[in-house]
Amino acid sequence: MADDIVPNAEGDLPSAPRAGRRGRKARKARKGIGATARSIEQKPFRARRNTYPKVDAVSADELEMIHEASLKILEEIGIDFINEEAKAILKAAGADIDPSSDRVRMDRAIVLEAIGTAPSQFTMHARNPEKNLHFGGDSVVWSAVASAPNCVDAEKGRRPGNREDFQNLLKLTQYFNVIDLNGGYPVEPVDIHPSVRHLECLSDTVRITDKVFHIYSLGKERNLDGMEIARIVNGLSEDEFERTPVVLSIINSSSPLRLDTPMLQGIIEMSRRGQVIVLTPFTLAGAMAPVTLAGALAQQNAEALAGLAFAQMVKPGAPVVYGGFTSNVDMKSGAPAFGTPEYMKAALVGGQLARKYRIPYRTSAVCAANTVDAQAAYETVFSLWGAINGGGNYLKHAAGWLEGGLSAGFEKFIIDVDLLQMVDEYLRPIVVDEASLALDAIREVGPGGHFFGTAHTQARYKDAFYSPIISDWRNYESWAEAGSPTAYEKANRLYKQVLAEFEMPALDPAIDEELSAFVEKRKEEGGAPTDF
């Protein structure tokens, strides 16, 4: 996997290596040609970059201490790999396997040699090549809330996830250009049986959206089915698929210090075929990790390095992402807390560690708020700001996350989109040239005048500044005269407006037919095994 796949000067990414089996017709269909203009103004989909200096929360010496502690954990304490195939791969690579348990110890040389083969940058390809994504370097990509068991809005309140709400949240993900990829099921549709849920959900995902998407590592069958759906919808041959990252999976270690069979099967199957693994320990300080941030980060790093090294043992050069999700718990109740000062600092150090190993960095924009209120806003901003300042390349849960991940909120989704669009604008470099310095306009106005009527302003005012979709900049009298609308009320109206005007992206009929045939075949075969 090459390390030198980067956006060009205009921020564009390379297109897919070839159009696949169906050539130009499939490529045009994947682009969604013929879509109508949308009524909510937004900037085009773009390759986003964070060129600001990254914040280091610890010194170089302190970072080295965390690194050394992580290696000692791997060498002396070890990590449980609960899978026989995984242990065989590790043993062949030189790891020490305890014959009486699942405990695996790895010498630092083995670990560092393995992660040294991971690509520092790579491109993920969408079925619409205009929505390809760059991972690594100064790139920044965002996905919306994922894996919530419940969803909530003003009219229906909080309820268990279902297919209709799942599809509607996918439509929001597709509609807004600032959301770059589908990072998982935005809400879990529990009205679909688990044996075929992945087939129905991924069928919905690749039809409703034309962006890069995620599959869950919940057993080998789901990985294989998900990758086959990704191969079909991208129009790739088997060989092309293994050379073209098009789908990703999040791998969570079972903190402390365990990787279980479904996660390990996910690493094995995805890495073997050149698809993307995002290794993310779920280390909550005070519960599944030490109460001190330094200890929690050392454990996070050990678990991440173990999984990332294992992926490289499966296939050197397989694309991987270093995930950080260290936060703290409420020591009064044991409940997870997000958007805390500790979460922000952990995000900064996670970025330092990922840069040390030259691996793209995943973090999140999350909150613990139970409703769309001030807490939801400031915790989301704090966690987002830790991610941006920490150099996060991939931010999950960036729109719609509530209740520590237990709910996906429709109104929260829209409010977060406005926030993300503001941060997106913040990340655009300031233009400094002769025209932007505006000396002629300053000379024309002189002391004591105003710039409203100048030619310089008139030529630029329509798109000079970010125009919010939620924030209300009217004065009090105008706002009161309009009925004193709140951000929540406006978000409720806008999400319903998006759903009302949503149009499905085009999909080549031949691809659609092949996709349907595969899904029906797998459903007839029973899908993935369950115990009920």
Side-chain angles (χ1 to χ4, degrees):
M1 196 64 57
D3 286 0
D4 57 353
I5 304 174
V6 297
N8 63 23
E10 285 71 44
D12 297 324
L13 292 167
S15 60
R18 53 179 293 185
R21 294 163 290 163
R22 298 174 182 84
R24 188 181 196 173
K25 181 180 178 184
R27 184 168 60 244
K28 287 177 71 176
R30 289 198 298 269
K31 285 188 177 184
I33 292 172
T36 59
R38 292 166 172 176
S39 62
I40 298 176
E41 291 186 13
Q42 52 179 323
K43 294 288 180 68
F45 191 95
R46 76 181 188 106
R48 188 179 306 105
R49 302 180 187 178
N50 178 7
T51 58
Y52 293 110
K54 310 307 178 284
V55 175
D56 291 344
V58 297
S59 69
D61 288 344
E62 291 166 335
L63 190 72
E64 190 65 21
M65 290 175 67
I66 295 171
H67 168 72
E68 284 293 321
S70 303
L71 296 178
K72 286 183 179 179
I73 291 170
L74 296 178
E75 290 176 325
E76 300 172 10
I77 301 170
I79 290 184
D80 285 356
F81 280 73
I82 310 173
N83 180 268
E84 294 304 316
E85 183 180 8
K87 287 188 288 185
I89 293 169
L90 287 156
K91 184 175 182 179
D96 178 19
I97 313 297
D98 187 333
S100 63
S101 72
D102 293 310
R103 189 65 50 88
V104 175
R105 295 175 177 84
M106 288 182 274
D107 182 82
R108 65 183 59 203
I110 295 173
V111 174
L112 297 177
E113 180 181 0
I115 65 169
T117 67
S120 61
Q121 304 185 50
F122 57 86
T123 295
M124 291 200 72
H125 298 266
R127 76 173 178 91
N128 178 351
E130 294 177 355
K131 295 177 182 177
N132 290 352
L133 299 173
H134 182 68
F135 281 69
D138 60 8
S139 66
V140 183
V141 299
W142 292 328
S143 64
V145 57
S147 308
N150 305 292
C151 58
V152 61
D153 66 3
E155 284 77 23
K156 298 179 183 178
R158 185 179 187 268
R159 67 265 188 193
N162 58 75
R163 191 171 188 177
E164 180 182 5
D165 286 321
F166 168 82
Q167 292 173 336
N168 285 338
L169 286 162
L170 282 179
K171 291 174 183 178
L172 298 182
T173 295
Q174 171 67 10
Y175 186 96
F176 287 106
N177 295 329
V178 78
I179 306 296
D180 301 295
L181 73 157
N182 306 286
Y185 307 168
V187 68
E188 192 75 19
V190 298
D191 54 345
I192 306 175
H193 193 275
S195 63
V196 297
R197 187 179 299 164
H198 66 293
L199 297 168
E200 301 286 15
C201 287
L202 293 180
S203 297
D204 287 345
T205 298
V206 299
R207 288 186 169 102
I208 293 172
T209 78
D210 60 4
K211 300 178 180 181
V212 169
F213 67 97
H214 163 283
I215 62 175
Y216 285 106
S217 289
L218 296 172
K220 180 177 179 178
E221 293 81 7
R222 292 180 177 86
N223 283 107
L224 295 178
D225 287 344
M227 286 190 286
E228 182 62 6
I229 288 172
R231 186 191 68 78
I232 290 170
V233 80
N234 281 278
L236 301 172
S237 69
E238 292 285 351
D239 288 343
E240 289 170 333
F241 180 77
E242 294 188 6
R243 299 196 307 269
T244 311
V246 296
V247 69
L248 60 84
S249 186
I250 305 296
I251 301 297
N252 294 123
S253 49
S254 300
S255 304
L257 304 177
R258 299 178 74 185
L259 280 159
D260 61 24
T261 288
M263 297 290 105
L264 289 167
Q265 287 178 331
I267 296 175
I268 292 169
E269 299 304 328
M270 295 282 287
S271 297
R272 275 180 178 162
R273 301 190 69 191
Q275 301 306 311
V276 180
I277 286 296
V278 183
L279 204 295
T280 310
F282 187 48
T283 37
L284 291 177
M288 293 96 78
V291 73
T292 54
L293 270 187
L297 287 164
Q299 182 186 309
Q300 169 192 291
N301 197 48
E303 294 178 12
L305 290 180
L308 295 168
F310 176 67
Q312 298 307 303
M313 294 172 190
V314 173
K315 183 177 181 178
V320 293
V321 177
Y322 180 110
F325 203 66
T326 293
S327 192
N328 56 291
V329 298
D330 177 0
M331 296 306 292
K332 297 176 183 176
S333 67
F338 299 106
T340 65
E342 292 78 16
Y343 184 92
M344 295 173 71
K345 289 188 281 189
L348 299 180
V349 179
Q352 289 181 256
L353 290 163
R355 290 192 294 277
K356 177 181 178 66
Y357 307 123
R358 299 183 67 247
I359 296 174
Y361 177 41
R362 172 257 159 123
T363 181
S364 301
V366 288
C367 69
N370 292 309
T371 189
V372 183
D373 59 6
Q375 178 186 340
Y378 63 67
E379 288 181 350
T380 300
V381 169
F382 286 161
S383 55
L384 177 60
W385 217 237
I388 294 297
N389 288 331
N393 299 115
Y394 173 31
L395 278 68
K396 275 183 68 69
H397 310 304
W401 170 288
L402 279 171
E403 255 188 279
L406 294 179
S407 282
F410 282 89
E411 290 85 4
K412 177 67 160 47
F413 194 109
I414 302 299
I415 289 171
D416 287 342
V417 162
D418 203 16
L419 169 61
L420 292 174
Q421 290 183 159
M422 284 188 263
V423 176
D424 180 79
E425 188 63 34
Y426 165 78
L427 293 176
R428 293 177 188 270
I430 298 173
V431 176
V432 180
D433 56 20
E434 290 299 321
S436 63
L437 288 170
L439 289 178
D440 287 344
I442 296 170
R443 186 176 290 111
E444 175 187 343
V445 172
H450 67 75
F451 289 81
F452 287 115
T454 66
H456 186 272
T457 299
Q458 291 299 307
R460 294 166 174 80
Y461 77 93
K462 289 183 179 179
D463 58 1
F465 310 118
Y466 173 70
S467 180
I469 62 172
I470 293 295
S471 294
D472 194 326
W473 293 346
R474 292 174 291 187
N475 61 32
Y476 178 84
E477 288 76 16
S478 298
W479 170 75
E481 186 176 332
S484 307
T486 65
Y488 185 83
E489 291 167 343
K490 190 170 184 181
N492 176 265
R493 176 176 61 80
L494 286 179
Y495 101 71
K496 289 184 286 189
Q497 177 183 332
V498 170
L499 298 182
E501 68 180 50
F502 183 81
E503 292 187 359
M504 300 278 280
L507 180 62
D508 186 299
I511 289 179
D512 189 67
E513 182 179 350
E514 185 177 357
L515 173 64
S516 294
F518 171 74
V519 169
E520 288 308 311
K521 173 178 174 291
R522 288 293 295 122
K523 287 166 67 175
E524 289 173 5
E525 294 170 348
T530 66
D531 56 3
F532 61 95

